[in-house]
Amino acid sequence: MTWYLPETVWVDGRLASGLAMQAAAPVAVVQSQSTSSSADVVRLPGSVLPGLTDAHVHTALIDLPMLRAGGIAAVWDLGGPPNHLAGQARKNTMAVRYAGPFMIAPGGYPSDRSWVPPGSCREIHSPLDASAAVEEAHAFGASFIKVTAHADGPMLPPHTLAAVVDAAHARELPVVVHAEGPGTVAAAYDSGADLLAHTPWTENVDDGLVRACADRMTWISTLDIHGWGTPTAARTIAIGNLRRFWSYGGKVRYGTDLGNGPLPVAVNAREVRALGEAGMQPSDILTAMTENDGTTGLTWIPSGLDLNPEMFAQSIATARVLGPEAHPSPEA
Ligand SMILES: [Zn+2]
């Protein structure tokens, strides 16, 4: 196993020098002195950090090798056809965790949308059926359960939504809710769900509810789906909601909803800047973009990570997945 010895390593929320990092265990760092005699140490310019993760993509709608070339080392697929997903996880060098099909009310969102590939939705007809659907997802390797609550169409009744959450938690699967429209954030929270797939954007969420969510939930950011760089009312609302959620101690994950609209198939600097607008510092944003469990590989910033808030988005957008294609030169 190769140890990388870059100029700096981002670990424990800070940039440190003189440390080596290993792909299989980004948390396991050692002093350079103890490894420099080993033939397996590769010196690198710049910074190395745990692999950057996009926590909201749809792999059926994007090119994963292109995304990996754009600096993303790991993805969470939050809704797609099960057969496609299992295949993606097997054949890609990228770490792919997936939710499987959207669990929906009969006729509910997004089964009514043209962009949805066939087989992407699983209608839930009763609380008993909820358990069966979760079993199916678990059986083909899902890491999450994704449920939709869209106020403009049929929604699962509260007891059925709660049954999905209970069945998922019995399998230790977190539940991600697509909450869109009045009352849907409360419905997600009341059901016991763990994550929102998007920062709420259709209205300013009641402050008490934001505080309650911050105590227990993770919100996936997806701020740049609003306007793709052009200011919109929805973007302003979403950033306002996220700013409060973050200030109350809520946990945020970087996610872009890639596959949905003209988003860069890469690290999205606009999403990173929007997280900054919501009050997050560069080190907070890096925490939201990485996992410290050793499953996501390593990311390399050849020119060195710049943690200056003005420069950070530009800097992180130069990220490369640290793999064989990075051609680091072994120490002579
Ligand atoms: Zn999505």
Side-chain angles (χ1 to χ4, degrees), residues 56 58 78 146 198 257 260:
H56 188 155
H58 298 280
L78 295 188
K146 172 80 174 283
H198 305 276
D257 203 6
N260 190 353

PDB file of all heavy atoms in Angstrom, residues 56 58 78 146 198 257 260, ligand 1:
ATOM      1  N   HIS A  56     -25.264  13.936  -3.543  1.00  0.00           N
ATOM      2  CA  HIS A  56     -26.541  13.875  -4.267  1.00  0.00           C
ATOM      3  C   HIS A  56     -26.273  13.893  -5.763  1.00  0.00           C
ATOM      4  O   HIS A  56     -26.045  14.957  -6.344  1.00  0.00           O
ATOM      5  CB  HIS A  56     -27.459  15.039  -3.857  1.00  0.00           C
ATOM      6  CG  HIS A  56     -28.849  14.934  -4.421  1.00  0.00           C
ATOM      7  ND1 HIS A  56     -29.936  15.534  -3.812  1.00  0.00           N
ATOM      8  CD2 HIS A  56     -29.346  14.304  -5.509  1.00  0.00           C
ATOM      9  CE1 HIS A  56     -31.034  15.276  -4.511  1.00  0.00           C
ATOM     10  NE2 HIS A  56     -30.690  14.532  -5.560  1.00  0.00           N
ATOM     11  N   HIS A  58     -27.310  11.526  -9.616  1.00  0.00           N
ATOM     12  CA  HIS A  58     -28.095  10.467 -10.260  1.00  0.00           C
ATOM     13  C   HIS A  58     -27.219   9.852 -11.335  1.00  0.00           C
ATOM     14  O   HIS A  58     -27.054  10.420 -12.414  1.00  0.00           O
ATOM     15  CB  HIS A  58     -29.403  11.038 -10.826  1.00  0.00           C
ATOM     16  CG  HIS A  58     -30.273  11.619  -9.756  1.00  0.00           C
ATOM     17  ND1 HIS A  58     -31.073  10.842  -8.949  1.00  0.00           N
ATOM     18  CD2 HIS A  58     -30.415  12.891  -9.299  1.00  0.00           C
ATOM     19  CE1 HIS A  58     -31.691  11.615  -8.061  1.00  0.00           C
ATOM     20  NE2 HIS A  58     -31.301  12.869  -8.244  1.00  0.00           N
ATOM     21  N   LEU A  78     -28.905   9.221  -5.258  1.00  0.00           N
ATOM     22  CA  LEU A  78     -30.157   9.361  -4.500  1.00  0.00           C
ATOM     23  C   LEU A  78     -31.387   9.132  -5.372  1.00  0.00           C
ATOM     24  O   LEU A  78     -32.336   9.906  -5.353  1.00  0.00           O
ATOM     25  CB  LEU A  78     -30.218  10.725  -3.813  1.00  0.00           C
ATOM     26  CG  LEU A  78     -29.172  10.953  -2.727  1.00  0.00           C
ATOM     27  CD1 LEU A  78     -29.441  12.258  -1.979  1.00  0.00           C
ATOM     28  CD2 LEU A  78     -29.117   9.785  -1.735  1.00  0.00           C
ATOM     29  N   LYS A 146     -34.549   6.420  -0.118  1.00  0.00           N
ATOM     30  CA  LYS A 146     -34.965   7.742  -0.583  1.00  0.00           C
ATOM     31  C   LYS A 146     -36.484   7.751  -0.719  1.00  0.00           C
ATOM     32  O   LYS A 146     -37.060   6.873  -1.359  1.00  0.00           O
ATOM     33  CB  LYS A 146     -34.311   8.019  -1.953  1.00  0.00           C
ATOM     34  CG  LYS A 146     -34.786   9.290  -2.672  1.00  0.00           C
ATOM     35  CD  LYS A 146     -34.119  10.528  -2.145  1.00  0.00           C
ATOM     36  CE  LYS A 146     -34.481  11.783  -2.943  1.00  0.00           C
ATOM     37  NZ  LYS A 146     -33.786  11.921  -4.226  1.00  0.00           N
ATOM     38  N   HIS A 198     -32.410  17.981  -0.350  1.00  0.00           N
ATOM     39  CA  HIS A 198     -32.165  19.361  -0.774  1.00  0.00           C
ATOM     40  C   HIS A 198     -32.376  20.290   0.415  1.00  0.00           C
ATOM     41  O   HIS A 198     -33.283  20.069   1.219  1.00  0.00           O
ATOM     42  CB  HIS A 198     -33.166  19.811  -1.842  1.00  0.00           C
ATOM     43  CG  HIS A 198     -33.243  18.938  -3.050  1.00  0.00           C
ATOM     44  ND1 HIS A 198     -32.366  19.062  -4.098  1.00  0.00           N
ATOM     45  CD2 HIS A 198     -34.098  17.944  -3.385  1.00  0.00           C
ATOM     46  CE1 HIS A 198     -32.681  18.169  -5.032  1.00  0.00           C
ATOM     47  NE2 HIS A 198     -33.730  17.479  -4.629  1.00  0.00           N
ATOM     48  N   ASP A 257     -27.049  17.375  -6.816  1.00  0.00           N
ATOM     49  CA  ASP A 257     -28.143  16.862  -7.655  1.00  0.00           C
ATOM     50  C   ASP A 257     -27.693  16.715  -9.100  1.00  0.00           C
ATOM     51  O   ASP A 257     -28.451  16.987 -10.041  1.00  0.00           O
ATOM     52  CB  ASP A 257     -29.392  17.752  -7.556  1.00  0.00           C
ATOM     53  CG  ASP A 257     -30.672  16.993  -7.930  1.00  0.00           C
ATOM     54  OD1 ASP A 257     -30.599  15.758  -8.151  1.00  0.00           O
ATOM     55  OD2 ASP A 257     -31.724  17.630  -8.016  1.00  0.00           O
ATOM     56  N   ASN A 260     -29.291  16.571 -13.020  1.00  0.00           N
ATOM     57  CA  ASN A 260     -30.519  17.348 -13.045  1.00  0.00           C
ATOM     58  C   ASN A 260     -30.161  18.795 -13.423  1.00  0.00           C
ATOM     59  O   ASN A 260     -29.822  19.590 -12.561  1.00  0.00           O
ATOM     60  CB  ASN A 260     -31.138  17.268 -11.640  1.00  0.00           C
ATOM     61  CG  ASN A 260     -32.532  17.834 -11.578  1.00  0.00           C
ATOM     62  OD1 ASN A 260     -33.026  18.405 -12.538  1.00  0.00           O
ATOM     63  ND2 ASN A 260     -33.170  17.676 -10.423  1.00  0.00           N
TER      64      ASN A 260
HETATM   65 ZN    ZN B   1     -31.959  14.396  -7.115  1.00  0.00          ZN
END
